[in-house]
Amino acid sequence: MKDIKTILAERSTGSTITAKGWARTKRDTKNAIFVELYDGSCFTGLQCVFDAGSMSEATATALARTTTGAALAVTGTLVDSPAAGQPVELKATALEVIGECPADSYPLQKKAHSLEFLREIAHLRPRTNTIGAAARMRDEMAYAVHTFYHDRGFKYVHTPIITASDCEGAGEMFQTTTLDLDAIAKHGGPVDYSKDFFGKKAFLSVSGQLNVETYCMALGKVYTFGPTFRAENSNTTRHLAEFWMIEPEIAFAELPDDMELAEDFVKHLLSWALDKCSEDMAFFEKRVQPGLIEMLDSVRSKKFAHMTYTDAVAELEKHKDSFEFKPFWGCDLQTEHERYLSETVIGGPVIVTDYPKELKAFYMRLNEDGKTVRAMDVLVPRIGEIIGGSEREYRYDVLVANMKAKGLDPAAYWWYLDLRRFGSAPHAGFGLGFERLLRYVTGIENIRDVIPFPRAVKQADF
RNA sequence: UCCCCUGUAGCUCAGUUGGCAGAGCAAGUGGCUGUUAACCACUGGGUCCGUGGUUCAAAUCCGCGCGGGGGAGCCA
């Protein structure tokens, strides 16, 4: 059996085919009944036409049971469509209702639903145009990620999801345990983690970076792409408690190499979306965010601007009246600052580099000035920060000093420090939030609508 | 964690100064010479989020609770 994407692509008119899928809509006229069949293989459905005058009684009965959402098998002849709207259609001769879908209780109707409502029926929402298209785009973008790195000789490394070290202090962590918390609560005594599964405290990973650096120092060019967990109490359209992150790491590389990789990567992903997902992208353009395609197209053809943090702050200080938080050297760039830089100052993507060391993580390479580190953030219009990365500190003594300055115990990072003791080399990498990329590409505002089952504060249903 | 908005039919929302619960879409029925989120007509459909209070009278005003959304912070 061919899926609808194949049927529509082949257009083998005159052939007899059976298509299986679900009814999106049924439209009645006196002489003909139209059923739009979709199977998820592509955005467009297959129009099935039933001749009211010549259909069998069995088909008429099945048609009466056909409602929005019903699972169907339709057999007929593929013909050129006499009407506008679709090049071919299925002139149906037989219809089987595989699974009924009672119209009076089925939550999805042939009308537009709000994304808020659809979140409450996450098990049914992939059947809608918007969420279905987002799901196909998610698949394509994941494939594009692997294609990009594989074609460049990067090795895909699976870093652990469970970790016993508070890696980079990148955020609040979820603790994992097999201890009986109810029993411990009854006793009221201190918790003995030596009796826990790993013999010590364990958490879900907030980043694969530290682990992937070990393989970077062995395989040269590596990346991770996996789930990441942050237990932060944040309730926004761009945060999840469980999200997917891509983290490449390249050996014998410095910050300019890292920036070049990030730019190539973003452009590869945008090109993939625009060139290979045009049908779904056309839907996002039409129904989700008009202007989306032109905006993405301009980004992929434009050289990313570069700017140091110091220059960025100087630029922001010229317009300080337009900000709630007044910018000054040493301040963390607020969302309003980031968007102003990319949207107003540059009018496109901009990479901001060389941030004050106090603002960034311990593993970033210290500059000669002793005040800034070789960090980079890629800022894009509408979204703000989409990539954060840096050249890593590969000098043992400087790294240890950085850790101490940030109140970290070097002994806890003994294996990470070993990378600097044995054959250390400059290396760099970055992290890209996969769902943030999907927000950017699809135009869907809320991050909870670009992941099948969102996990956020007080939200772990389905 | 902080600030703001919001909760009324299956969905999206209106509801005036506190005075009989409304519309569009969806559903059901009928019509329509090929429809494209079809169209036209009719019909059915309500714990006004919950709870306590003010009042002759509360969807409407007040307190508390719960849910949803947006923004900030944190970050990817």
Side-chain angles (χ1 to χ4, degrees):
Chain A
M1 193 190 74
K2 287 172 179 168
D3 62 25
I4 290 173
K5 183 181 183 181
T6 307
I7 292 168
L8 293 177
E10 290 179 349
R11 287 195 202 177
S12 53
T13 52
S15 62
T16 299
I17 56 171
T18 296
K20 292 183 183 178
W22 297 270
R24 173 136 276 145
T25 67
K26 181 173 75 170
R27 296 181 286 268
D28 292 272
T29 68
K30 188 175 187 179
N31 298 322
I33 296 98
F34 302 88
V35 175
E36 190 185 331
L37 193 74
Y38 76 97
D39 67 359
S41 60
C42 59
F43 185 87
T44 308
L46 175 65
Q47 172 157 284
C48 305
V49 189
F50 297 83
D51 180 29
S54 66
M55 74 173 74
S56 70
E57 200 159 312
T59 301
T61 304
L63 215 39
R65 293 165 63 215
T66 297
T67 55
T68 297
L72 308 174
V74 187
T75 302
T77 310
L78 198 70
V79 297
D80 290 320
S81 179
Q86 58 285 316
V88 291
E89 63 186 25
L90 189 62
K91 191 172 162 58
T93 53
L95 171 66
E96 181 197 349
V97 177
I98 297 168
E100 284 189 341
C101 191
D104 55 355
S105 55
Y106 186 50
L108 292 171
Q109 305 158 358
K110 50 179 182 180
K111 69 183 286 289
H113 293 282
S114 69
L115 292 171
E116 292 81 14
F117 169 68
L118 294 177
R119 260 170 242 151
E120 295 169 11
I121 48 169
H123 59 309
L124 299 175
R125 68 176 186 163
R127 305 175 183 204
T128 63
N129 282 333
T130 306
I131 303 298
R136 278 188 298 275
M137 192 60 68
R138 189 179 170 101
D139 166 65
E140 285 288 341
M141 288 294 95
Y143 187 58
V145 166
H146 288 302
T147 302
F148 177 84
Y149 288 114
H150 187 82
D151 288 352
R152 280 163 181 74
F154 282 66
K155 305 305 175 204
Y156 179 27
V157 175
H158 296 106
T159 50
I161 287 169
I162 296 175
T163 175
S165 66
D166 182 352
C167 296
E168 50 179 290
E172 295 298 311
M173 304 178 87
F174 287 101
Q175 190 174 350
T176 66
T177 183
T178 52
L179 293 171
D180 184 341
L181 298 180
D182 291 329
I184 292 168
K186 270 179 209 153
H187 291 138
V191 179
D192 181 2
Y193 283 105
S194 70
K195 294 214 169 68
D196 204 351
F197 187 89
F198 297 104
K200 54 181 151 181
K201 273 193 183 184
F203 307 89
L204 296 181
S205 175
V206 295
S207 167
Q209 183 200 315
L210 268 50
N211 286 290
V212 89
E213 279 189 48
T214 66
Y215 274 70
C216 178
M217 289 293 103
L219 302 182
K221 291 187 287 189
V222 295
Y223 71 106
T224 72
F225 184 6
T228 307
F229 307 88
R230 306 257 170 109
E232 266 136 33
N233 187 10
S234 55
N235 205 315
T236 76
T237 58
R238 57 189 186 282
H239 288 86
L240 289 167
E242 177 183 294
F243 63 98
W244 289 63
M245 186 157 62
I246 298 131
E247 294 174 292
E249 193 76 30
I250 39 179
F252 306 105
E254 302 188 356
L255 193 62
D257 306 299
D258 204 31
M259 294 160 72
E260 191 184 337
L261 181 69
E263 181 170 342
D264 289 348
F265 184 40
V266 169
K267 287 178 173 175
H268 170 83
L269 296 172
L270 297 188
S271 286
W272 192 289
L274 292 167
D275 298 341
K276 308 205 179 201
C277 313
S278 53
E279 198 182 19
D280 287 318
M281 287 303 297
F283 171 77
F284 294 129
E285 165 78 26
K286 190 176 171 196
R287 300 274 182 186
V288 177
Q289 189 163 127
L292 177 70
I293 288 176
E294 193 188 322
M295 186 270 288
L296 295 177
D297 192 47
S298 85
V299 167
R300 73 161 160 175
S301 52
K302 208 181 282 183
K303 181 83 189 131
F304 287 15
H306 294 182
M307 189 182 265
T308 64
Y309 168 90
T310 302
D311 289 345
V313 169
E315 192 63 42
L316 293 170
E317 281 178 325
K318 288 185 202 162
H319 310 278
K320 56 171 153 252
D321 291 343
S322 37
F323 303 118
E324 190 186 338
F325 292 90
K326 306 303 171 202
F328 59 92
W329 200 96
C331 80
D332 219 340
L333 293 186
Q334 308 289 317
T335 302
E336 59 175 343
H337 300 148
E338 293 180 343
R339 291 190 60 173
Y340 188 87
L341 286 171
S342 64
E343 290 168 13
T344 308
V345 177
I346 302 296
V350 54
I351 307 181
V352 179
T353 61
D354 301 289
Y355 285 73
K357 64 179 177 184
E358 289 79 13
L359 301 179
K360 294 293 183 181
F362 73 92
Y363 51 73
M364 297 190 181
R365 176 162 180 186
L366 191 64
N367 274 315
E368 310 307 321
D369 62 12
K371 295 188 297 185
T372 60
V373 290
R374 293 187 192 170
M376 65 146 188
D377 284 356
V378 180
L379 312 178
V380 295
R382 196 170 68 79
I383 299 285
E385 182 186 335
I386 195 167
I387 281 177
S390 70
E391 180 180 336
R392 319 307 188 189
E393 182 56 75
Y394 77 105
R395 298 165 295 184
Y396 182 91
D397 294 341
V398 182
L399 182 57
V400 169
N402 285 350
M403 293 171 75
K404 286 179 178 164
K406 299 227 179 251
L408 300 171
D409 177 15
Y413 296 83
W414 66 273
W415 55 267
Y416 187 69
L417 286 167
D418 265 5
L419 302 178
R420 277 72 179 169
R421 294 174 63 205
F422 308 120
S424 188
H427 58 292
F430 61 80
L432 174 124
F434 188 53
E435 286 77 17
R436 288 192 178 174
L437 168 78
L438 287 168
R439 286 178 71 218
Y440 190 53
V441 168
T442 63
I444 293 172
E445 294 283 345
N446 197 311
I447 199 166
R448 297 169 194 204
D449 299 324
V450 296
I451 188 168
F453 298 101
R455 299 296 183 242
V457 186
K458 298 270 195 291
Q459 186 173 62
D461 296 328
F462 304 102

